[in-house]
Amino acid sequence: MSGSSRVLTFPAGETVLAEPLRIEPDMLVTGQGKSTVLRWGGPGPGLIFGSETGNMYGAWVRDLTLACGVLVQQMTQNCGMSNVWFCNPVGDGLTVRGVGERMVFRDCVAFGCGGDGVVIDPPAGIGNNGLLFDHCNMQANRGAGVRLNAESRAELAHTIFRDCTIQGNGVPLEGDLNSDGQVDIADLAEALRRGDPALAQTVTRRMGMVSTVPADMVIVGNVRGTRLNGTWLEPTLTGVAVDAAHSGSAEPTIIVEGATVISFARRAAVRMTRGRLRVDELILTGQTQPMQVGQAKLDGAGAGVRRL
């Protein structure tokens, strides 16, 4: 590690942190690309961006892999991360929990995390708005690819996912032979059809289990104006799931535009029972099921949806 107190440069290879790395205002942390790996074996996040008090400005993290949890406590429009891999094997990859606006995440990847890939979870009574994820990838995480959570009177508005790829998140259930997110009699019939007694025994043991990861993108609470622009979702079960039960009087809103694609969703491309869905351009491919919208309001959904 070399450089001044405001610039930290890490070499290629693995660096084990002796304590969590704290990103302060006007600070640049950089590596040599994906081959620069920062690892933290202690409890909690290994990289903490900002503090719970004070002002945050001019801070940037780029060109490295973080094999640990990452916590963003504070953000502004002149802070960001670029070409960063979030690969926390024991929990969530990137967690944005602070107050602020317009922070940028560009060319970042949340891959193979033990929890969710990206979690945006503002504290009670506080909110953030205008976070931009540009050309990012959330893939092969044990939990959801992206979780937007604004319960407890928090507010999360105008999060933008532009040209992102969110796919293959959520661990398949053992015994779920038809990949529908549950183990039931249909799976037992398939095991018997294959003539595999051990597989049939596994299905019987797991009978009744249901996946705890409802979608590649999960939206809970007072989340308004989430925008999917030119983004590709290839989910295990559902593309986007909106839980309106915790939104109070707020009306969750989603805007889908810019040739966003949802492919091979086994349950639904979009599932929301309440709120507003505006579809300017959505392409459904493969075996994608239709949208399940319940009492949600649809703006232009018929004209904006195409099947290929």
Side-chain angles (χ1 to χ4, degrees), residues 53-247:
T53 60
N55 296 319
M56 190 66 178
Y57 55 86
W60 206 272
V61 178
R62 71 185 189 197
D63 301 327
L64 46 77
T65 295
L66 296 167
C68 57
V70 177
L71 174 62
V72 176
Q73 292 189 132
Q74 200 175 29
M75 69 219 78
T76 64
Q77 60 268 31
N78 49 35
C79 295
M81 299 186 183
S82 57
N83 193 27
V84 174
W85 285 65
F86 306 103
C87 301
N88 181 17
V90 296
D92 300 332
L94 168 67
T95 300
V96 180
R97 190 161 286 153
V99 61
E101 60 186 14
R102 301 293 178 183
M103 187 170 176
V104 175
F105 300 88
R106 181 169 288 119
D107 295 313
C108 292
V109 179
F111 185 87
C113 295
D116 299 327
V118 173
V119 179
I120 306 174
D121 184 16
I126 299 177
N128 55 50
N129 68 84
L131 297 178
L132 172 61
F133 291 83
D134 184 19
H135 200 251
C136 294
N137 179 209
M138 301 80 171
Q139 185 173 348
N141 301 290
R142 290 184 65 87
V146 177
R147 187 179 300 271
L148 289 79
N149 183 27
E151 298 183 68
S152 304
R153 296 180 294 108
E155 180 176 310
L156 179 57
H158 308 298
T159 306
I160 302 171
F161 295 88
R162 184 171 66 199
D163 296 332
C164 292
T165 300
I166 308 170
Q167 66 181 131
N169 298 285
V171 177
L173 288 172
E174 185 181 25
D176 180 14
L177 304 183
N178 59 4
S179 301
D180 64 353
Q182 58 189 356
V183 183
D184 53 19
I185 194 66
D187 299 301
L188 181 57
E190 174 61 20
L192 294 174
R193 186 191 68 79
R194 297 182 187 182
D196 188 334
L199 185 58
Q201 187 176 25
T202 297
V203 171
T204 301
R205 187 174 67 252
R206 298 286 184 175
M207 188 71 69
M209 294 193 69
V210 178
S211 173
T212 59
V213 181
D216 263 25
M217 176 177 284
V218 179
I219 298 176
V220 180
N222 185 16
V223 179
R224 299 180 293 107
T226 304
R227 190 178 294 267
L228 304 179
N229 186 310
T231 288
W232 178 286
L233 293 95
E234 189 169 329
T236 303
L237 297 174
T238 300
V240 181
V242 180
D243 180 0
H246 297 90
S247 60

